[in-house]
Amino acid sequence: TISYIREQVMDFSKPFMNLGVTIMYRVPKSTNPGVFWFLNPISYDIWLYILISYLAVSGVLFVLARFSPYEWYNPHPCNPNSEYLENQFTLLNSMWFSIGAFMQQGSEIMPRALSTRLVSGAWWFFTLIMISSYTANLAAFLTVERMESPIESADDLAKQTRIKYGTLEGGATQTFFKNSKIPTYEKMWAFMSSQEPSVFTKSTEEGIDRVLSENYAFLLESAMNEYFTHRNCNLSRVGGLLDSKGYGIGTPEGSPIRDKITIAILQLQEAGQIQMLYNKWWVNMGQCFNEDKNKKASALGVTNVGGIFIVLIAGLVVGILVAIIEFIWKSRSTQERDKQHMHNLSDVFKGSLSMAPSPNFVLPTNTNIIPRLKTQKNDYDDYCLSNKA
C-alpha cells in the first residue's frame, strides 16, 4: 500500500490497483417475515395516521351531512308536503362509506351536498395515493429477500459498542485510523485502542476467524476483503470505502527501474490486462460470486400469507357473533313489543265488554286499535295507491 510514511524512505510506481479501507462482517441472517408481513410495507406510524384519518373523515362526513340541508331528503315522493325527512349519513353509514372508499370498493351511499362531495373527493384522492404507494412497496417486499444486518456503515459501528471491531496490528489500516481527524474515525480509534483484550489481530487470517466465531467486524483493505468474501460465503463486505489509496510496487530511492515499472503498469492498464487478472484471481476463482445470480423467486408459504387468512377468519367470526347478537336483540325487542300490544288489546276488550256486555258484541272491522304489523314499505305503497284511486 502506498502511504506517506513509506514514500519517505522508498519510491513507488504508479498504483496498479485502487482500493480503500472496508468492513468485513459475517453474512446477515434472513429475517422471518412473520404472518403479518403485509403490514411491513408501511410503517406502524403511518398505519396509525391512516386509522386516525379514517375516523376523522367519517366524523366530518357525519357532521356535515347533518348540518347541510341538501343531505336531507323526503323518503315519500308521493307526498311532497311531508315534514318527515331522512339523512343517509348516519354515523355507521359514514364509517361504511369511508372504509368502502379506502378498500377501493365503494358503497351504495353517495353524497348529495357539495360540502360532503368535496370531503369525499379529498378522501378518494388520499386513498388513491396510499393504495398505490402500498402496492408498489408490497411488490418490492415480495421480490427482495430482507436480510437482518446490525451494521450498514462505519457510522453504525461508531454508534454502538455491542459489536467489537479492529484492524491488523501495525498495518496501514491501523495507521489510517490513528492519524485520522474525521470525528467518526476518531471515535472508532478511541474505542479500538481502549478495548481489553485487544481488538487488533496479528494476521488477516486471525481477523477472519474472529469474524466467523465472534461478534466482531474486521477493518481491512478492500482488495483483501473482496478476495476472502469471494471464497467464503459466510463473509460479506459492509458499506463502501472509508478512504482511497492504491497498491504500488516499491523500489529503492532513485532506482532507475521505477519509471520502467510505471510505464509497464500503464500499458497493462490501457490494454485491460490488470482488470482481466483481477477477474481471474479474485472473482472467477471464488465460490460465492454467482450466488446472487442463481437465486430464484420462491413460492409464498404459510409464513408469508398466513396473516391474511387470520384476518379473513377473524372477520368471519366477528360477523357471525354480530349476527347472533343482532338476532337476540331483535327477538327481545319484538317480544317486548308483542307483549305491549297484547296488553293494550286486552285493555280494549275489557273496556268494550264493560260498555256493551251483550254476548252478541262484535268488534268493528274498521277499528284502528289493532296495530298493523306492516313494514314501512307496505304503508308507503298503500298510501300511494289510495292517492291514485
Side-chain angles (χ1 to χ4, degrees):
T1 304
I2 302 175
S3 65
Y4 169 75
I5 297 178
R6 293 170 181 171
E7 187 70 36
Q8 290 180 330
V9 297
M10 60 188 302
D11 292 337
F12 280 95
S13 66
K14 294 292 183 181
F16 59 87
M17 182 182 294
N18 295 317
L19 64 147
V21 176
T22 55
I23 304 172
M24 176 186 288
Y25 194 63
R26 62 175 178 268
V27 173
K29 298 179 180 179
S30 301
T31 58
N32 185 6
V35 293
F36 293 102
W37 63 271
F38 56 87
L39 298 176
N40 295 334
I42 298 180
S43 66
Y44 292 107
D45 292 340
I46 300 300
W47 282 119
L48 178 60
Y49 297 153
I50 291 175
L51 177 61
I52 295 174
S53 301
Y54 161 70
L55 297 176
V57 170
S58 301
V60 170
L61 280 175
F62 172 72
V63 173
L64 291 182
R66 295 287 167 178
F67 181 77
S68 175
Y70 298 103
E71 282 295 340
W72 296 89
Y73 65 95
N74 181 9
H76 304 298
C78 294
N79 184 13
N81 298 323
S82 175
E83 296 182 356
Y84 178 72
L85 301 177
E86 288 186 355
N87 193 314
Q88 60 180 347
F89 277 100
T90 63
L91 183 58
L92 290 179
N93 282 350
S94 299
M95 299 178 69
W96 175 249
F97 173 81
S98 299
I99 195 65
F102 185 78
M103 294 297 179
Q104 306 289 295
Q105 300 301 315
S107 66
E108 69 280 4
I109 305 169
M110 295 301 292
R112 296 168 175 262
L114 179 61
S115 58
T116 53
R117 288 181 177 180
L118 289 175
V119 174
S120 301
W123 176 244
W124 290 340
F125 178 76
F126 172 83
T127 57
L128 174 65
I129 300 302
M130 290 304 302
I131 294 299
S132 301
S133 303
Y134 173 81
T135 303
N137 209 17
L138 179 65
F141 269 71
L142 290 176
T143 56
V144 178
E145 183 182 7
R146 299 187 61 81
M147 310 293 285
E148 182 182 2
S149 179
I151 55 174
E152 297 291 343
S153 63
D155 290 331
D156 294 338
L157 275 179
K159 293 176 182 178
Q160 57 82 51
T161 57
R162 185 174 58 88
I163 301 175
K164 308 297 182 182
Y165 50 91
T167 67
L168 179 65
E169 188 172 6
T173 303
Q174 185 185 43
T175 304
F176 164 74
F177 282 100
K178 183 178 180 179
N179 299 330
S180 178
K181 301 301 180 182
I182 300 176
T184 300
Y185 302 155
E186 288 182 334
K187 184 177 180 180
M188 294 176 66
W189 171 251
F191 174 81
M192 289 187 288
S193 59
S194 62
Q195 292 299 301
E196 290 293 340
S198 176
V199 293
F200 301 109
T201 63
K202 301 297 183 181
S203 64
T204 302
E205 289 74 14
E206 180 185 348
I208 295 174
D209 291 339
R210 293 187 66 173
V211 170
L212 295 174
S213 60
E214 304 174 14
N215 196 15
Y216 179 83
F218 190 41
L219 301 165
L220 72 167
E221 294 169 345
S222 58
M224 297 294 293
N225 196 341
E226 293 172 0
Y227 181 85
F228 287 106
T229 53
H230 282 145
R231 284 157 176 77
N232 191 328
C233 299
N234 294 320
L235 299 174
S236 67
R237 169 179 161 177
V238 177
L241 301 179
L242 306 188
D243 68 338
S244 180
K245 60 185 72 173
Y247 279 156
I249 299 177
T251 61
E253 286 185 312
S255 175
I257 65 173
R258 187 193 66 171
D259 294 337
K260 296 180 180 180
I261 295 176
T262 297
I263 293 175
I265 290 175
L266 293 176
Q267 290 177 343
L268 292 174
Q269 286 180 337
E270 292 178 359
Q273 293 295 322
I274 293 181
Q275 185 62 40
M276 293 174 60
L277 291 172
Y278 173 83
N279 293 335
K280 176 181 178 180
W281 296 105
W282 261 258
V283 181
N284 297 337
M285 296 294 290
Q287 301 175 355
C288 309
F289 68 99
N290 282 328
E291 192 175 75
D292 293 336
K293 297 180 180 179
N294 294 331
K295 285 185 177 180
K296 298 181 179 179
S298 57
L300 297 178
V302 177
T303 57
N304 300 112
V305 297
I308 302 176
F309 288 96
I310 292 177
V311 173
L312 176 61
I313 295 173
L316 296 177
V317 172
V318 172
I320 293 173
L321 294 177
V322 171
I324 294 174
I325 294 174
E326 290 176 343
F327 177 78
I328 296 174
W329 178 266
K330 186 64 176 179
S331 299
R332 291 184 176 179
S333 301
T334 304
Q335 186 178 10
E336 293 293 333
R337 187 181 59 185
D338 291 343
K339 287 182 179 180
Q340 185 64 32
H341 290 166
M342 293 301 296
H343 180 72
N344 294 339
L345 184 62
S346 175
D347 292 342
V348 170
F349 272 106
K350 288 180 180 179
S352 299
L353 291 176
S354 62
M355 291 185 295
S358 174
N360 296 324
F361 172 78
V362 178
L363 186 68
T365 57
N366 60 347
T367 183
N368 293 325
I369 58 177
I370 301 177
R372 295 180 302 164
L373 302 178
K374 294 184 178 181
T375 63
Q376 183 178 1
K377 182 178 182 304
N378 292 335
D379 292 340
Y380 167 72
D381 294 341
D382 292 343
Y383 177 80
C384 290
L385 290 175
S386 64
N387 285 345
K388 289 181 180 181

